[in-house]
Amino acid sequence: MITYQHIYIHVPFCSRRCSYCDFSIAVRKDVPAAEFITGIREELARRTPKPGPAATIYLGGGTPSKLGAAGIATLYSVLKDAGIAPAAGAELTVEANPEDLTGQTAEALLVAGVNRLSVGVQSFDPAVLEWMHRTHTADQSAAAVRAAREAGFEDISIDLIYALPERLNRDWDRDVDQAIELEPDHLSVYGLTIEPRTVLGRWTARGAEVPETDDHAAEQFLRAHERLTTAGLEHYEVSSYGRTTGIGSGSGRGGVGGRGYRSRHNSAYWQRVPYLGLGPSAHSYDGTTRRWNVAAYAEWQRALAQGDPIAGSETLDADQIDEELIYLGLRTSEGLDVRPEWSDRVLRWVEQGWATINGPGAAGSAPRVRLTPEGWLRMDALVADLDFPHAPGRT
Ligand code: SF4
């Protein structure tokens, strides 16, 4: 039995599938919150984690905000019944779509115990939002973030997507600036990937859409990086930017748990710390083995009725773990100790502007390499340059 300090619950419900989305979701007009929560309770009974305090609880999806504050409060109580109560200063994140977030719902979420919101904005351009099949407007995004702040949320993250097809004429710089104007504590910028089994994949396959070029996508990433870091956000992971000090009503608090506004939950993944995942398609890691659940909601329910929803597992060997540690180190601003056999290659990265080296540190510790934004753009190639050809799965 293991004590999990990091809990992920996949809430699969969305009101419509976005054009680019290949996540495990269930499109529902009316969300079966009680049925879903019963399923989580049953899955938890099969996992029997050792009771202990949780440092982070992350409700992702899907659209967890569709459960409503009452549903989320019930989920927290289900975890508590299993002995998993939030530790003091725990980070309790809920992903929310803007249309679900009014002043009233934000207040109710705070009362339920939520203290961090990740708002799926993606763009402020009405034509782009329509193309994405998003179910919110640009005005709703701005209003949602402001309402959450006014309600008292002190840790708010915004998601944006770049690298959209050029024909959309999307003004990426303007979108980034509008996001900055909302003064989020954290921002995630994701490059659009075109998955074959999506509406966008089909548009692309028949030539109705042409993917953005890698060069243009790289330019967009670098311009966003410049704007976000100038606005005071720290780039701590390839897609993630966080404030180091607060601007909410608890200004100076330094984020939930007093460690800046980095996502502590995602940081646990990147540090290979054990986590428990519940719900369809959720992954878990016990320090040795990764397990994942069946993806579809109906299948997850059936599997729970018949036994266990685990669909597969993998246990990495020492070489795979080493490769994963290298990939994760380069992915974050933590960087990586330079091994003697890498010295020439890493020095070449520095000459190219792809990395910086600090050290050697005190007591002869190894020098440390960290990628620059240009380096992050070619991370897979750099991992391969260290004789690790297969970039491992990215969580
Ligand atoms: S809201 Fe998120 S999870 Fe739901 S369909 Fe859109 S991208 Fe997918």
Side-chain angles (χ1 to χ4, degrees):
M1 231 177 10
I2 179 169
T3 306
Y4 290 97
Q5 294 192 345
H6 304 281
I7 313 294
Y8 174 80
I9 299 180
H10 186 81
V11 185
F13 308 111
C14 292
S15 47
R16 184 185 184 190
R17 187 177 279 276
C18 297
S19 59
Y20 54 88
C21 178
D22 77 336
F23 295 157
S24 166
I25 67 157
V27 174
R28 295 284 188 280
K29 190 160 166 280
D30 298 309
V31 170
E35 176 188 270
F36 173 74
I37 293 165
T38 299
I40 293 295
R41 191 188 292 278
E42 287 172 7
E43 187 179 354
L44 206 44
R46 283 159 183 72
R47 300 287 161 266
T48 58
K50 198 168 157 193
T56 70
I57 300 173
Y58 193 106
L59 271 52
T63 316
S65 50
K66 297 272 176 245
L67 287 180
I72 288 165
T74 310
L75 266 186
Y76 290 159
S77 66
V78 165
L79 290 173
K80 272 191 200 148
D81 292 347
I84 304 173
E91 178 190 272
L92 305 184
T93 304
V94 167
E95 290 181 355
N97 274 359
E99 68 269 28
D100 297 331
L101 211 49
T102 62
Q104 210 177 1
T105 54
E107 280 170 21
L109 288 169
L110 275 172
V111 171
V114 180
N115 58 20
R116 183 173 187 270
L117 287 175
S118 175
V119 187
V121 170
Q122 318 310 355
S123 173
F124 294 96
D125 181 327
V128 165
L129 291 173
E130 198 176 321
W131 178 86
M132 288 177 164
H133 294 174
R134 300 292 300 185
T135 48
H136 60 89
T137 65
D139 288 347
Q140 279 177 315
S141 293
V145 173
R146 290 197 185 104
R149 185 69 87 196
E150 277 165 25
F153 272 96
E154 298 178 358
D155 200 344
I156 302 173
S157 182
I158 285 179
D159 283 0
L160 291 179
I161 297 181
Y162 67 98
L164 305 183
E166 199 169 349
R167 73 159 193 90
L168 293 172
N169 283 326
R170 187 265 193 97
D171 189 338
W172 169 239
D173 296 347
R174 190 159 163 264
D175 269 355
V176 174
D177 289 344
Q178 281 187 258
I180 291 170
E181 278 165 25
L182 290 171
E183 300 189 314
D185 305 290
H186 187 278
L187 233 142
S188 297
V189 291
Y190 299 109
L192 180 74
T193 51
I194 300 179
E195 304 294 346
R197 294 192 318 172
T198 60
V199 170
L200 175 57
R202 290 194 289 279
W203 290 342
T204 309
R206 67 167 192 258
E209 289 295 356
V210 178
E212 182 60 294
T213 65
D214 287 350
D215 284 351
H216 284 174
E219 284 166 17
Q220 289 170 29
F221 172 74
L222 293 174
R223 292 208 306 276
H225 178 84
E226 176 69 27
R227 281 172 147 74
L228 294 171
T229 51
T230 301
L233 289 142
E234 175 202 28
H235 192 204
Y236 70 96
E237 188 270 340
V238 63
S239 304
S240 310
Y241 294 80
R243 288 193 187 283
T244 51
T245 56
I247 56 168
S249 53
S251 182
R253 191 171 55 101
V256 176
R259 293 173 50 184
Y261 287 83
R262 297 180 177 201
S263 163
R264 289 166 60 199
H265 185 84
N266 288 341
S267 295
Y269 294 150
W270 303 325
Q271 290 161 6
R272 303 185 82 253
V273 175
Y275 51 86
L276 175 64
L278 303 165
S281 82
H283 285 54
S284 300
Y285 175 59
D286 62 8
T288 309
T289 300
R290 282 210 185 86
R291 296 183 175 81
W292 53 90
N293 284 349
V294 294
Y297 178 57
E299 205 183 334
W300 176 73
Q301 281 188 299
R302 261 197 308 277
L304 278 171
Q306 292 162 5
D308 200 305
I310 289 176
S313 66
E314 66 175 358
T315 302
L316 302 187
D317 63 27
D319 284 346
Q320 289 169 315
I321 290 171
D322 195 30
E323 180 168 353
E324 190 167 283
L325 286 170
I326 287 164
Y327 186 83
L328 293 173
L330 291 180
R331 174 180 180 159
T332 65
S333 58
E334 299 307 310
L336 202 61
D337 282 348
V338 179
R339 298 177 193 171
E341 65 270 27
W342 295 343
S343 295
D344 289 351
R345 281 167 279 184
V346 170
L347 282 175
R348 202 170 58 239
W349 298 359
V350 173
E351 283 165 18
Q352 298 282 349
W354 300 336
T356 59
I357 294 185
N358 293 101
S365 62
R368 211 155 170 85
V369 59
R370 294 179 176 82
L371 296 189
T372 62
E374 287 80 5
W376 268 309
L377 284 168
R378 44 182 63 76
M379 188 164 45
D380 289 352
L382 298 185
V383 173
D385 194 32
L386 297 179
D387 300 327
F388 289 92
H390 309 296
R394 302 168 204 186
T395 303

